[in-house]
Amino acid sequence: MQQPIIEKAAPKSRRARPAQARIAAALKHMKRDRQLLILFAPCLLFYLLFRYGPLYGLVIAFKDYSVFTGVWDSDWVGLKYFIQFFMNQDFWMLFRNTILLGFYTLVFGFPFPILLAILLNEVRLAWFKKSVQTLSYLPAFLSVVIICSMIIDFLSPTSGLFNQLLAALGLPKTYFLVNPNWFRTIYVISDIWEKIGYEAIIYLAAIAGINPTLYEAAKVDGASRVRMMRHITLPGLLPTLLVMFVLKTGSMIRVGYEKVLLLYNPMTYEVSDVFSTYVYRKGLLESNYSYAAAVGMFEALTAMIMLLGANYVSKRIGGNGLW
């Protein structure tokens, strides 16, 4: 009678041993890599405190939130604020502006760092290459406030550099920042200027990882520099290009509100107002927290869907993705 009990218990003990071995191996690896884990700890704490921690606050999108009653004591309203946002006459304007700004930034801003990295890789004068690199990624070290202040000064209708050039050419002055037709152009060009050098560093690092013997063999075969760029450099950059494209596509819907907020005005709302600035006005200025949380959640879900779609397309095209 006891033998079947022993036979049934044996597999359980055999299953337990590998689990204990895995735990022991994990502890051993943690002890071995403790210095790297200590370096990683601040990054982990940052995401836990400022990314995952605030997620509980999304519940106010489904509540009639009041600062006096608190999050959990506020009444549930379901999808009331989502429906209210979708029925709002500003919804399609916000959706159009956000998509267009993100799309223009992706289409026009994505190729320039790649082109700069490829051209810098072809430069043989070290001092010229370093000078161009320094000047190109210098704006990345400036805050958005400084960047926007420079843009406002350059485009000033009275003393701005561009209007002075127009006056020197005998052309009338233009009020760039209050003209809706100019806002998207200014935003995209300034975004390229701000990020081109910083993002080019990523592609320069990818180019440095290409096997130099490929270039030597191509040179022996008589290939020109253009053919080397086409058949060696660009294919070598493809995995990095796909990953960066996925990241850019995922963030396309989440147009940074800082620059838009600093550059737009009521005269340009029709082309510049995006989800993030709308959330800022409704949440912080008008204290409509639940409505703002619903808009922010819709923006985040849309960005996640675009990220998943871009990652799927990237894996289908080149076999590379974020996961």
PDB file of all heavy atoms in Angstrom, residues 266-278:
ATOM      1  N   PRO A 266      -2.413  81.187 -29.165  1.00  0.00           N
ATOM      2  CA  PRO A 266      -3.796  81.031 -29.643  1.00  0.00           C
ATOM      3  C   PRO A 266      -3.967  81.228 -31.145  1.00  0.00           C
ATOM      4  O   PRO A 266      -4.904  80.681 -31.734  1.00  0.00           O
ATOM      5  CB  PRO A 266      -4.545  82.111 -28.849  1.00  0.00           C
ATOM      6  CG  PRO A 266      -3.766  82.261 -27.586  1.00  0.00           C
ATOM      7  CD  PRO A 266      -2.328  82.071 -27.982  1.00  0.00           C
ATOM      8  N   MET A 267      -3.078  81.961 -31.772  1.00  0.00           N
ATOM      9  CA  MET A 267      -3.185  82.175 -33.220  1.00  0.00           C
ATOM     10  C   MET A 267      -2.861  80.907 -34.012  1.00  0.00           C
ATOM     11  O   MET A 267      -3.292  80.771 -35.162  1.00  0.00           O
ATOM     12  CB  MET A 267      -2.234  83.300 -33.645  1.00  0.00           C
ATOM     13  CG  MET A 267      -2.531  84.652 -33.014  1.00  0.00           C
ATOM     14  SD  MET A 267      -4.035  85.399 -33.660  1.00  0.00           S
ATOM     15  CE  MET A 267      -3.506  85.767 -35.327  1.00  0.00           C
ATOM     16  N   THR A 268      -2.109  79.995 -33.418  1.00  0.00           N
ATOM     17  CA  THR A 268      -1.691  78.780 -34.137  1.00  0.00           C
ATOM     18  C   THR A 268      -2.293  77.514 -33.550  1.00  0.00           C
ATOM     19  O   THR A 268      -1.842  76.416 -33.870  1.00  0.00           O
ATOM     20  CB  THR A 268      -0.156  78.667 -34.125  1.00  0.00           C
ATOM     21  OG1 THR A 268       0.307  78.604 -32.761  1.00  0.00           O
ATOM     22  CG2 THR A 268       0.481  79.853 -34.819  1.00  0.00           C
ATOM     23  N   TYR A 269      -3.281  77.619 -32.673  1.00  0.00           N
ATOM     24  CA  TYR A 269      -3.883  76.441 -32.057  1.00  0.00           C
ATOM     25  C   TYR A 269      -4.392  75.439 -33.091  1.00  0.00           C
ATOM     26  O   TYR A 269      -4.298  74.230 -32.905  1.00  0.00           O
ATOM     27  CB  TYR A 269      -5.042  76.846 -31.146  1.00  0.00           C
ATOM     28  CG  TYR A 269      -4.633  77.205 -29.733  1.00  0.00           C
ATOM     29  CD1 TYR A 269      -5.568  77.652 -28.809  1.00  0.00           C
ATOM     30  CD2 TYR A 269      -3.308  77.099 -29.318  1.00  0.00           C
ATOM     31  CE1 TYR A 269      -5.203  77.990 -27.516  1.00  0.00           C
ATOM     32  CE2 TYR A 269      -2.929  77.439 -28.035  1.00  0.00           C
ATOM     33  CZ  TYR A 269      -3.877  77.881 -27.136  1.00  0.00           C
ATOM     34  OH  TYR A 269      -3.505  78.199 -25.853  1.00  0.00           O
ATOM     35  N   GLU A 270      -4.928  75.937 -34.174  1.00  0.00           N
ATOM     36  CA  GLU A 270      -5.556  75.051 -35.157  1.00  0.00           C
ATOM     37  C   GLU A 270      -4.569  74.079 -35.794  1.00  0.00           C
ATOM     38  O   GLU A 270      -4.977  73.028 -36.303  1.00  0.00           O
ATOM     39  CB  GLU A 270      -6.234  75.873 -36.242  1.00  0.00           C
ATOM     40  CG  GLU A 270      -5.283  76.799 -37.008  1.00  0.00           C
ATOM     41  CD  GLU A 270      -6.005  77.564 -38.096  1.00  0.00           C
ATOM     42  OE1 GLU A 270      -6.769  76.932 -38.853  1.00  0.00           O
ATOM     43  OE2 GLU A 270      -5.820  78.783 -38.177  1.00  0.00           O
ATOM     44  N   VAL A 271      -3.267  74.386 -35.770  1.00  0.00           N
ATOM     45  CA  VAL A 271      -2.272  73.486 -36.364  1.00  0.00           C
ATOM     46  C   VAL A 271      -1.256  72.984 -35.338  1.00  0.00           C
ATOM     47  O   VAL A 271      -0.486  72.068 -35.634  1.00  0.00           O
ATOM     48  CB  VAL A 271      -1.515  74.177 -37.525  1.00  0.00           C
ATOM     49  CG1 VAL A 271      -2.470  74.522 -38.650  1.00  0.00           C
ATOM     50  CG2 VAL A 271      -0.776  75.404 -37.033  1.00  0.00           C
ATOM     51  N   SER A 272      -1.228  73.559 -34.139  1.00  0.00           N
ATOM     52  CA  SER A 272      -0.178  73.219 -33.182  1.00  0.00           C
ATOM     53  C   SER A 272      -0.681  72.504 -31.931  1.00  0.00           C
ATOM     54  O   SER A 272       0.103  71.859 -31.238  1.00  0.00           O
ATOM     55  CB  SER A 272       0.564  74.494 -32.745  1.00  0.00           C
ATOM     56  OG  SER A 272      -0.336  75.401 -32.111  1.00  0.00           O
ATOM     57  N   ASP A 273      -1.959  72.619 -31.628  1.00  0.00           N
ATOM     58  CA  ASP A 273      -2.475  72.004 -30.410  1.00  0.00           C
ATOM     59  C   ASP A 273      -2.488  70.491 -30.562  1.00  0.00           C
ATOM     60  O   ASP A 273      -3.088  69.950 -31.497  1.00  0.00           O
ATOM     61  CB  ASP A 273      -3.886  72.518 -30.126  1.00  0.00           C
ATOM     62  CG  ASP A 273      -4.277  72.345 -28.670  1.00  0.00           C
ATOM     63  OD1 ASP A 273      -3.379  72.080 -27.841  1.00  0.00           O
ATOM     64  OD2 ASP A 273      -5.473  72.486 -28.347  1.00  0.00           O
ATOM     65  N   VAL A 274      -1.808  69.774 -29.648  1.00  0.00           N
ATOM     66  CA  VAL A 274      -1.704  68.325 -29.702  1.00  0.00           C
ATOM     67  C   VAL A 274      -2.229  67.734 -28.394  1.00  0.00           C
ATOM     68  O   VAL A 274      -2.615  68.458 -27.474  1.00  0.00           O
ATOM     69  CB  VAL A 274      -0.240  67.875 -29.944  1.00  0.00           C
ATOM     70  CG1 VAL A 274       0.231  68.314 -31.323  1.00  0.00           C
ATOM     71  CG2 VAL A 274       0.684  68.438 -28.871  1.00  0.00           C
ATOM     72  N   PHE A 275      -2.247  66.404 -28.325  1.00  0.00           N
ATOM     73  CA  PHE A 275      -2.808  65.738 -27.152  1.00  0.00           C
ATOM     74  C   PHE A 275      -2.124  66.188 -25.864  1.00  0.00           C
ATOM     75  O   PHE A 275      -2.779  66.451 -24.858  1.00  0.00           O
ATOM     76  CB  PHE A 275      -2.685  64.218 -27.286  1.00  0.00           C
ATOM     77  CG  PHE A 275      -3.638  63.621 -28.282  1.00  0.00           C
ATOM     78  CD1 PHE A 275      -3.211  62.660 -29.184  1.00  0.00           C
ATOM     79  CD2 PHE A 275      -4.967  64.009 -28.317  1.00  0.00           C
ATOM     80  CE1 PHE A 275      -4.082  62.104 -30.097  1.00  0.00           C
ATOM     81  CE2 PHE A 275      -5.850  63.463 -29.234  1.00  0.00           C
ATOM     82  CZ  PHE A 275      -5.414  62.506 -30.128  1.00  0.00           C
ATOM     83  N   SER A 276      -0.802  66.246 -25.876  1.00  0.00           N
ATOM     84  CA  SER A 276      -0.061  66.539 -24.648  1.00  0.00           C
ATOM     85  C   SER A 276      -0.326  67.956 -24.147  1.00  0.00           C
ATOM     86  O   SER A 276      -0.473  68.188 -22.939  1.00  0.00           O
ATOM     87  CB  SER A 276       1.433  66.316 -24.874  1.00  0.00           C
ATOM     88  OG  SER A 276       1.879  67.041 -26.003  1.00  0.00           O
ATOM     89  N   THR A 277      -0.393  68.935 -25.058  1.00  0.00           N
ATOM     90  CA  THR A 277      -0.695  70.303 -24.627  1.00  0.00           C
ATOM     91  C   THR A 277      -2.146  70.423 -24.175  1.00  0.00           C
ATOM     92  O   THR A 277      -2.456  71.195 -23.262  1.00  0.00           O
ATOM     93  CB  THR A 277      -0.416  71.293 -25.767  1.00  0.00           C
ATOM     94  OG1 THR A 277      -1.152  70.901 -26.939  1.00  0.00           O
ATOM     95  CG2 THR A 277       1.061  71.326 -26.107  1.00  0.00           C
ATOM     96  N   TYR A 278      -3.022  69.661 -24.807  1.00  0.00           N
ATOM     97  CA  TYR A 278      -4.426  69.651 -24.403  1.00  0.00           C
ATOM     98  C   TYR A 278      -4.572  69.079 -22.995  1.00  0.00           C
ATOM     99  O   TYR A 278      -5.333  69.603 -22.174  1.00  0.00           O
ATOM    100  CB  TYR A 278      -5.229  68.830 -25.413  1.00  0.00           C
ATOM    101  CG  TYR A 278      -6.725  68.883 -25.238  1.00  0.00           C
ATOM    102  CD1 TYR A 278      -7.444  70.030 -25.575  1.00  0.00           C
ATOM    103  CD2 TYR A 278      -7.417  67.783 -24.754  1.00  0.00           C
ATOM    104  CE1 TYR A 278      -8.822  70.069 -25.426  1.00  0.00           C
ATOM    105  CE2 TYR A 278      -8.791  67.810 -24.606  1.00  0.00           C
ATOM    106  CZ  TYR A 278      -9.496  68.957 -24.947  1.00  0.00           C
ATOM    107  OH  TYR A 278     -10.859  68.998 -24.790  1.00  0.00           O
TER     108      TYR A 278
END
